Amino acid sequence: MATTTRPALVKGSRASRSTIALKMLMAVSGLIFIGFVLTHMYGNLKAFGGHDSFNEYAHHLREFGEPILPHEGALWIIRLALIVSLVVHVACAVALWRRAAKARSVKYVVKKSKASSLSSRTMRWGGVTLLVFIVWHLLNFSIGKINVQGGATDDPYNLMVDSFDVWWLTAIYLVAMVALGMHLHHGTFSAAQTLGLTNNDKARRNAKAAGALLAVVIAGGFSLVPIFVLAGVITK
């Protein structure tokens, strides 16, 4: 009897430890992205300062770290760190989803508890939406620099205005910001829980409040620029 149960217990223990490791990796990579989007949002708001303010910010990003680092050196370090974090985050999410699906021998007849928040129930599809949006966003403003109006692409401010002057591009962006806000709302609490920062009622309330605050500030801050461009407040 002992010889049959001990291997199962060891196997279960290893699976449990690897699940915890996956959740930890998701939490840490998620926190890296929170730091990035918060900084990126701040940079986007430079658009309210006008053409020169926005372009000077974009230019200084490429000079950051000089002369210790080559031109755009720091920017490429940040890009590589974000790519690694994205790969880790997505890979861990897929692995955890597969384990959860495999663990269910019988599908639920009744839907999950209505007490769970909308943001927690849409984490998976919200993540897919954000992944698709990130690819498009990079093609639009960074890697490909696509100007759908056929204008120049070598001026960051003008490219931004030309893009958000198109209503359907702004609509896509705002939908992605809703997905980002919901992802941040639940993801912040989930990361805090994984890192052991929700051990009592007050800590849980604080983690939920932090998630809500980050969701509103970051998603809302990102949304301001396209809305004001489309409204004709931010112009070339």
Side-chain angles (χ1 to χ4, degrees):
M1 196 74 172
T3 56
T4 56
T5 55
R6 271 191 80 174
L9 287 171
V10 171
K11 186 178 180 181
S13 178
R14 285 176 181 171
S16 179
R17 286 198 299 271
S18 71
T19 296
I20 292 170
L22 288 170
K23 288 182 177 181
M24 288 290 291
L25 285 170
M26 274 200 77
V28 172
S29 58
L31 290 175
I32 290 171
F33 272 107
I34 288 175
F36 168 72
V37 293
L38 194 57
T39 306
H40 187 29
M41 180 212 69
Y42 166 78
N44 276 18
L45 293 177
K46 290 284 186 179
F48 285 97
H51 178 277
D52 292 344
S53 177
F54 187 84
N55 280 1
E56 280 175 17
Y57 171 77
H59 180 68
H60 286 319
L61 279 179
R62 286 159 175 76
E63 291 184 333
F64 188 74
E66 293 182 8
I68 297 173
L69 295 172
H71 187 65
E72 292 194 6
L75 196 57
W76 275 107
I77 291 172
I78 293 169
R79 284 169 176 164
L80 289 172
L82 289 171
I83 290 170
V84 171
S85 297
L86 179 63
V87 171
V88 168
H89 200 75
V90 172
C92 290
V94 171
L96 288 168
W97 174 74
R98 284 180 174 173
R99 289 187 181 196
K102 190 176 179 181
R104 296 191 202 105
S105 56
V106 180
K107 291 192 176 183
Y108 295 115
V109 177
V110 182
K111 288 185 178 180
K112 289 182 180 180
S113 173
K114 293 181 180 179
S116 61
S117 66
L118 179 63
S119 57
S120 68
R121 296 196 301 271
T122 57
M123 280 294 283
R124 189 184 307 155
W125 292 112
V128 172
T129 300
L130 288 173
L131 187 59
V132 173
F133 172 74
I134 288 169
V135 173
W136 162 248
H137 192 63
L138 289 173
L139 290 173
N140 190 184
F141 292 109
S142 184
I143 297 172
K145 292 187 177 180
I146 299 170
N147 191 326
V148 295
Q149 296 205 52
T153 60
D154 57 351
D155 187 295
Y157 180 86
N158 289 339
L159 176 60
M160 180 264 300
V161 173
D162 281 346
S163 297
F164 292 138
D165 257 339
V166 179
W167 72 267
W168 56 268
L169 270 181
T170 294
I172 290 172
Y173 193 91
L174 294 178
V175 168
M177 291 308 102
V178 171
L180 176 62
M182 295 176 74
H183 209 74
L184 286 169
H185 181 237
H186 181 71
T188 302
F189 176 80
S190 182
Q193 192 174 45
T194 298
L195 296 171
L197 303 176
T198 56
N199 294 327
N200 54 63
D201 289 340
K202 183 179 179 181
R204 282 190 288 274
R205 286 195 301 269
N206 288 341
K208 287 180 180 179
L213 181 63
L214 283 171
V216 171
V217 170
I218 295 175
F222 273 122
S223 300
L224 288 175
V225 174
I227 289 172
F228 276 82
V229 169
L230 196 62
V233 177
I234 298 175
T235 59
K236 290 199 284 187

